[in-house]
Each structure stands twice: as structure tokens, then as C-alpha cells.
């Protein structure tokens, strides 16, 4: 899938390049775990809405961050994402349902949730 495909299901805050390919996803809030285990070219599903999330995404080669639970995204996180070329999406869904929606987009699940 591409980054643009995420915009069909989630609210777009920052999308520097909608044509980038996303091949996987990782769900987590412990940024040291994300840094060590998230696959590159993925989308990170998290509730961590701060600038450090973008720093970790950059190190891990993550293309997009999906912030769940209707958390607000601060201006410094948006600015860092623009500088690093990382897209940010938001949803009011919890991480479980958001992860399932991402899995559907990636073709890793067969049936919709809910």
C-alpha cells in the first residue's frame, strides 16, 4: 500500500509524500521497543503524540505515524514530521481497531472489524 491509502481511513495531518510504499505496520508505545523492532517502510500505530515519536520513526525508517485515541498532535511534532518527511494521521479509534484497519489496508486480514 502507499501512504496515501492511509488517508482513506484516517484523518491526515501531515503527508509530505503520499506515494511512498508501506509494507508493514508496528503497534507500540514504548519508543525504545519501536526503535529496536519496527520494520522499515512501515506505519507506526501509537498513542505517543510528541516530537520524540518522529525522531524514533526517522531512526527506524518508518514512513507514517498513526496517533490513536483522539490524541492531539502538538505543533512541534508536526514540524518535526514535515522536516523528516514522515506522514502523521490521527483516529479516534483505539490501537487495536486502528491496527486491524491498517492490517486490512495491507492485505494481512480478510474480514473487516466491527
Amino acid at each position: 500500500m502507499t501512504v496515501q491509502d492511509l488517508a482513506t481511513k484516517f484523518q491526515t495531518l501531515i503527508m509530505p509524500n503520499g506515494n511512498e510504499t508501506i509494507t508493514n505496520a508496528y503497534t507500540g508505545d514504548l519508543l525504545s521497543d519501536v526503535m529496536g523492532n519496527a520494520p522499515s517502510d512501515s506505519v507506526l500505530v501509537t498513542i505517543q503524540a510528541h516530537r520524540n515519536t518522529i525522531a524514533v520513526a526517522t531512526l527506524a525508517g518508518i514512513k507514517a505515524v498513526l496517533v490513536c485515541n483522539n490524541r492531539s498532535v502538538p505543533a512541534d511534532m508536526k514540524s518535526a514530521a514535515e522536516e523528516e518527511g514522515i506522514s502523521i494521521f490521527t483516529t479516534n479509534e483505539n490501537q487495536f481497531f486502528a491496527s486491524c484497519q491498517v492490517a486490512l489496508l495491507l492485505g494481512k486480514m480478510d474480514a473487516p472489524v466491527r
Side-chain angles (χ1 to χ4, degrees):
M1 87 174 172
T2 65
V3 170
Q4 178 66 40
D5 293 327
L6 291 169
T8 65
K9 294 284 182 190
F10 307 108
Q11 180 184 359
T12 305
L13 294 185
I14 304 291
M15 189 168 37
N17 183 355
N19 295 322
E20 287 189 329
T21 300
I22 293 179
T23 58
N24 215 323
Y26 197 80
T27 301
D29 296 322
L30 185 60
L31 294 180
S32 60
D33 177 66
V34 172
M35 197 167 35
N37 295 299
S40 60
D41 298 329
S42 65
V43 55
L44 172 62
V45 182
T46 187
I47 60 168
Q48 294 294 342
H50 51 77
R51 184 179 183 97
N52 289 345
T53 306
I54 300 302
V56 167
T58 301
L59 289 171
I62 292 168
K63 303 295 183 191
V65 175
L66 174 57
V67 178
C68 300
N69 290 347
N70 209 27
R71 298 250 175 147
S72 62
V73 175
D76 66 340
M77 183 179 180
K78 292 177 193 175
S79 175
E82 286 178 355
E83 289 173 19
E84 297 296 338
I86 296 173
S87 298
I88 300 176
F89 299 90
T90 61
T91 183
N92 60 352
E93 296 285 357
N94 66 39
Q95 289 168 285
F96 173 77
F97 286 110
S99 295
C100 289
Q101 289 176 331
V102 169
L104 283 169
L105 288 171
L106 284 166
K108 295 183 185 270
M109 273 181 65
D110 295 330
V113 176
R114 282 196 196 193

